[in-house]
Amino acid sequence: MKFQVEPAPHIISARPVPQVMREVLYALIPAVVVYTWYFGAGLIVNVAIACAVALASEAAILRLRRRDVRLYLSDYSAVVTAALLAFALPSLTPWYVTVTGTLFAIVFAKHLYGGLGFNPFNPAMAGYVLLLIAFPTEMADLWIAPRGAGDGLSVGQTLAAIFASTPPAAGWDAITSATPLDQVQSDLSRAMTMSEINANPTMHGSIVGAWLWINLAVAAGGIYMLARGIIRWHIPLAVIAGLALMATLFYLADADRNPSPLFHLTTGATMLGAFFIATDPVSAATSLRGRLIYGFGIGVIAYIIRTWAAYPDGIAFAVLIMNVAVPAIDYFTIPKPYGARDD
């Protein structure tokens, strides 16, 4: 008799993978609503493109690997990867950029390592970093100005911008704007002080306010996942603590050359990274002590990249760097069974 051998894990969890992935998608809903309110329908289009490509590419790879396509597609892991990647992209990202990032995330970052449960790097962030390197102009220049700071786009104009790269009649400059992190990094590089930067009405107006509410909505989704037991508090708290500690130290040392801790925590992908990205159970550290080290490292590295590197955010690079460190963190933090010897 021929027995079918399924890949690990072989211990059946009380909470199956599809349920966990659905809860993550539910937790993203408040952030999607707030993001769409401020930045228009571009996010919805990006999510639809990414999900379609993720499901199609995952089905093709599963068929090539002779796995049960229906079983693995129904676990929603590809949809979660696609949604997180799309959420990190500018609203008017051209369709081919979203397709490229999603294909890389599913095919290279996930399935070339063995699929769900075997990927050492967060697939969504691997795809995002590829796009930052391969399409720097599209990733930096197509952030639409939020509601209250720009003219906004209709659904038809959004579709034309994404699928045909057709700008509105007023031109790209009339509808796009720098993100707060990008603006601060650019102004500081021109020797402006934080006092001068904060004097710009947009820094305290609609642009900063939009990112504040988006981060609060993401954090609300994260609290929902904590309450439902989908994630544990160690990694999110450690990420926030690492970033806040670094920001506080440098802010206290020179408040005119360094943004405040509140600015760092409420702009960019801080809360998305803390609650949805860093907590990926496959690529994160496993022991409780290891999770604190892993999360704290992400916060510290993200601050270093934001402050002294070329990229204004840094969460994605920080997560991937700490993914590399996870085997060492686990080695030194997972308790050894009684009687085991160190090699």
Side-chain angles (χ1 to χ4, degrees), residues 47-129:
V47 169
I49 295 172
C51 286
V53 174
L55 291 172
S57 58
E58 176 131 307
I61 293 294
L62 288 170
R63 190 170 293 279
L64 287 174
R65 296 177 62 198
R66 299 181 180 179
R67 298 297 179 89
D68 187 333
V69 175
R70 183 176 179 181
L71 173 66
Y72 287 97
L73 281 188
S74 62
D75 67 12
Y76 299 100
S77 61
V79 176
V80 169
T81 297
L84 292 176
L85 173 62
F87 200 88
L89 300 177
S91 299
L92 301 181
T93 302
W95 66 269
Y96 55 86
V97 175
T98 307
V99 169
T100 302
T102 308
L103 281 174
F104 185 83
I106 297 297
V107 177
F108 288 89
K110 181 178 180 182
H111 277 286
L112 287 190
Y113 288 99
L116 182 64
F118 296 93
N119 48 285
F121 301 103
N122 184 291
M125 290 301 96
Y128 179 71
V129 166

Side-chain angles (χ1 to χ4, degrees), residues 34-43 91 143-147 207 210-211 214:
V34 175
Y35 190 107
T36 303
W37 167 260
Y38 277 110
F39 293 99
L43 172 62
S91 299
W143 287 101
I144 190 172
R147 178 185 292 268
I207 296 178
W211 286 102
I214 289 171

Side-chain angles (χ1 to χ4, degrees), residues 161-247:
I162 291 174
F163 288 102
S165 298
T166 303
W172 291 119
D173 291 341
I175 61 166
T176 57
S177 71
T179 66
L181 285 171
D182 201 7
Q183 186 70 49
V184 166
Q185 187 186 57
S186 176
D187 288 345
L188 287 175
S189 68
R190 295 200 296 268
M192 293 179 65
T193 65
M194 286 305 302
S195 301
E196 294 170 330
I197 297 170
N198 288 330
N200 184 342
T202 60
M203 290 303 297
H204 282 296
S206 302
I207 296 178
V208 172
W211 286 102
L212 166 65
W213 283 108
I214 289 171
N215 271 278
L216 290 176
V218 173
I223 293 171
Y224 168 80
M225 290 196 295
L226 287 170
R228 295 284 297 164
I230 303 301
I231 60 174
R232 304 184 72 174
W233 59 268
H234 306 78
I235 292 177
L237 182 65
V239 172
I240 293 170
L243 182 58
L245 177 63
M246 292 290 289

